[in-house]
Amino acid sequence: MARIELNEVAHSYLPKPGGDSDYALKRIHNVWEDGVACALLGPSGCGKTTLLNAVSGLLTPSKGRILYDGKDVTALPPEKRNIAQVFQFPVLYDTMSVFNNLAFPLRNRGIDEGAVKERVLEVAEILDLTPFLNKRAAGLAADAKQKISLGRGLVRSDVAAILFDEPLTVIDPQMKWLLRRKLKEIHEELKLTFIYVTHDQVEALTFADQVAVMFEGEMVQIGTPQDLFENPEHKFVGYFIGSPGMNFLECTLEGNKARVDGTGIELDEETAAKGRNARGKLELGIRPMYLELHANSGDGRVKAGVKGVEDLGSYRIATLMLAGQTLKARLPEDKPLPEGEVWLTFPPKWTKLFEDERLIQ
Ligand code: ATP
């Protein structure tokens, strides 16, 4: 397995790119340590596949270098990089048995039959494919086929990394969950370097120990699922992670308070001090679950209108209006919600300040 380094990588599909907007990837600088399970998460078109293809060698980036364990592989094709890839649609030989599909990458490298058998049986066991070894791949369900694709990567003990491009897209929701858990188990057991592209936050957050959020060709934040939830460093991360996403309110600063129209919201001292140096557009951000709702006014509370409430089974989402701006609050099922008006507390610990979309740190 390898440590993978992206050194100022940028890519444009245009022959003569001009400004930033011509680039599908804009200056990506990052290191994936050996054995990490990392997800590349972002909406359609943000550059995830382009980046994965640059890592695998399907594409040579317009700028920058890619290093595997310090060795420059930027110009090497995939077959020279020792990586395994699992795509959206399983790649296998339908007419061959599961055993022969798994054995193929080893036989291809001239490994002797005894070792092939041993390794195939081992990998089939890990993936719960043992009962299917003599069956033809053609007759199997999509999840079993995708496990074979994964198995074809795992049989080789020398792969530098396994790259996954939306591998669960064609899998049923129930099977998706099982397969995701299986991938996590395999990673914990074998400590392989996994890079996993997805636009689904649940998939990314449950699978990976490190998530890189991509937005418009940039990695805007790399962190643990908890980091991304509790400390989003970019407005897009706040909005994209969590359901519903973070609330943002345009504001100005006055002493230690964020002013949202006529309303003053107390910030912690450090946040306010940093915010006073800001010259760009200021926004206050708070996750729906951290907003506290009260039936009465009180010290530090601000009044908001209740516009509606949605019951989502185990919790409810209230839509609130504060000084003409909309906010969402997440409430436990049993917490009463006053009609018409409510008073809010913004706990300073969870009330963040953003300048021009970036967290003020
Ligand atoms: P999706 O989840 O939809 O695959 P993505 O995040 O993987 O999206 P990419 O496929 O990497 O994004 O695309 C990034 C940008 O590059 C998009 O604007 C896309 O239209 C453009 N793009 C991708 N492939 C090509 C190509 N072969 N030629 C020209 N432009 C491309």
Side-chain angles (χ1 to χ4, degrees):
M1 286 289 128
R3 175 181 193 267
I4 298 175
E5 194 176 336
L6 308 171
N7 200 324
E8 308 284 341
V9 171
H11 186 70
S12 174
Y13 289 99
L14 303 176
K16 285 188 185 154
D20 255 13
S21 60
D22 288 345
Y23 282 82
L25 293 178
K26 300 172 187 135
R27 247 186 110 256
I28 304 235
H29 202 72
N30 180 51
V31 173
W32 285 305
E33 293 298 343
D34 192 359
V36 77
C38 177
L40 287 177
L41 172 68
S44 183
C46 69
K48 305 179 294 292
T49 300
T50 305
L51 183 59
L52 200 73
N53 288 347
V55 172
S56 71
L58 286 172
L59 172 153
T60 306
S62 330
K63 293 183 189 168
R65 295 186 313 145
I66 294 167
L67 310 171
Y68 283 18
D69 284 334
K71 181 178 164 228
D72 190 337
V73 297
T74 320
L76 293 184
E79 59 276 15
K80 297 256 170 73
R81 292 194 187 189
N82 248 345
I83 39 129
Q85 296 188 75
V86 182
F87 298 98
Q88 272 189 11
F89 298 97
V91 179
L92 38 77
Y93 298 103
D94 261 349
T95 54
M96 282 188 192
S97 67
V98 173
F99 185 100
N100 286 340
N101 264 287
L102 294 176
F104 191 85
L106 299 176
R107 288 179 176 150
N108 217 10
R109 280 170 181 75
I111 310 277
D112 79 80
E113 263 317 292
V116 168
K117 187 170 178 204
E118 193 180 322
R119 186 67 185 150
V120 167
L121 294 181
E122 212 172 87
V123 167
E125 199 54 39
I126 294 174
L127 290 168
D128 306 322
L129 285 173
T130 311
F132 306 107
L133 278 173
N134 293 322
K135 294 214 158 70
R136 268 185 172 206
L140 301 178
D143 61 299
K145 286 186 175 176
Q146 199 54 306
K147 279 192 199 169
I148 302 171
S149 283
L150 172 62
R152 285 159 58 94
L154 290 177
V155 283
R156 288 169 45 203
S157 52
D158 62 342
V159 286
I162 304 189
L163 312 182
F164 300 84
D165 195 353
E166 307 253 10
L168 303 184
T169 310
V170 295
I171 312 291
D172 288 349
Q174 169 64 4
M175 281 298 160
K176 242 184 203 176
W177 182 78
L178 288 173
L179 215 51
R180 205 160 62 213
R181 207 177 54 177
K182 190 83 217 161
L183 283 178
K184 202 169 167 74
E185 265 171 40
I186 292 172
H187 182 258
E188 277 161 13
E189 194 178 324
L190 306 178
K191 290 281 170 247
L192 306 172
T193 305
F194 275 13
I195 300 174
Y196 187 107
V197 160
T198 179
H199 63 271
D200 179 335
Q201 57 161 304
V202 175
E203 215 164 294
L205 301 179
T206 52
F207 160 79
D209 37 45
Q210 196 188 79
V211 179
V213 180
M214 293 192 63
F215 176 61
E216 295 182 348
E218 283 182 72
M219 268 188 201
V220 285
Q221 189 172 354
I222 300 160
T224 61
Q226 189 183 357
D227 284 339
L228 300 177
F229 189 80
E230 292 185 353
N231 293 305
E233 289 171 6
H234 190 282
K235 195 176 159 184
F236 178 75
V237 178
Y239 153 82
F240 196 66
I241 306 273
S243 180
M246 198 166 200
N247 294 300
F248 290 96
L249 297 172
E250 276 190 47
C251 66
T252 53
L253 267 190
E254 216 176 274
N256 280 353
K257 285 193 167 163
R259 286 243 155 248
V260 179
D261 223 353
T263 308
I265 296 165
E266 196 76 31
L267 299 172
D268 79 35
E269 238 169 74
E270 202 184 337
T271 302
K274 288 177 186 157
R276 283 193 288 275
N277 296 326
R279 295 289 164 264
K281 178 181 163 192
L282 281 185
E283 282 166 289
L284 171 157
I286 185 163
R287 292 236 174 245
M289 65 179 288
Y290 297 133
L291 267 178
E292 291 170 9
L293 275 64
H294 314 270
N296 305 308
S297 62
D299 198 22
R301 295 179 183 177
V302 298
K303 192 158 81 171
V306 178
K307 287 286 152 204
V309 61
E310 259 177 288
D311 198 331
L312 295 173
S314 54
Y315 62 92
R316 289 171 302 153
I317 300 294
T319 303
L320 311 169
M321 290 299 283
L322 175 66
Q325 301 189 55
T326 305
L327 284 172
K328 300 273 183 190
R330 184 175 162 138
L331 308 171
E333 182 61 11
D334 53 355
K335 185 166 169 83
L337 178 69
E339 273 181 33
E341 280 179 357
V342 72
W343 275 264
L344 303 176
T345 317
F346 289 68
K349 177 171 182 215
W350 300 115
T351 307
K352 315 276 177 184
L353 208 51
F354 291 77
E355 179 188 15
D356 293 337
E357 320 231 311
R358 309 249 170 202
L359 180 72
I360 297 181
Q361 312 208 49

